[in-house]
Amino acid sequence: MACVGLVIEFFAGVVDFPTIPPGPFILGISGIVVLALGRARWPIVLGFVAALFLTVGGLIEGSVWHRIADPGQTADWIGVLLQWPSQVVALVAGALAIRQAYFRRLRPV
């Protein structure tokens, strides 16, 4: 959903959006890898790192706060509302999946 939100923001014409935005490619490719190689453990880390990268980058860039506070620009606002909660869910789910995949406790017999 975060990728869809980014695409909506791109086509809505968000000011200062890159000509070719890397976000949808990063999220889309990492999502495909996670789905295709779901049995392996490393794709989970790839998906988590991709979501973390875009979240930190978006927070550093800072324009998200203006777009989410202004529902007058409907397409921008809908894109942000799709992107950011989806990224939070991806980060929480990714952290839990990594914990389960890499830090399983051995149960005593």
Side-chain angles (χ1 to χ4, degrees), residues 1-2 5 9 55 64 68 77-93:
M1 291 307 293
E9 290 176 53
T55 301
V64 67
I68 204 162
W77 190 66
I78 289 172
V80 169
L81 286 181
L82 283 174
Q83 177 191 359
W84 286 91
S86 300
Q87 283 182 213
V88 170
V89 169
L91 289 172
V92 171

Side-chain angles (χ1 to χ4, degrees), residues 20-55:
I20 300 175
F25 294 107
I26 293 169
L27 288 177
I29 291 170
S30 65
I32 290 169
V33 170
V34 169
L35 286 175
L37 304 173
R39 291 211 168 274
R41 292 189 293 181
W42 66 267
I44 298 169
V45 176
L46 175 69
F48 179 77
V49 169
L52 184 64
F53 177 76
L54 288 177
T55 301

Side-chain angles (χ1 to χ4, degrees), residues 10-24:
F10 174 71
F11 285 116
V14 171
V15 178
D16 295 333
F17 219 66
T19 305
I20 300 175

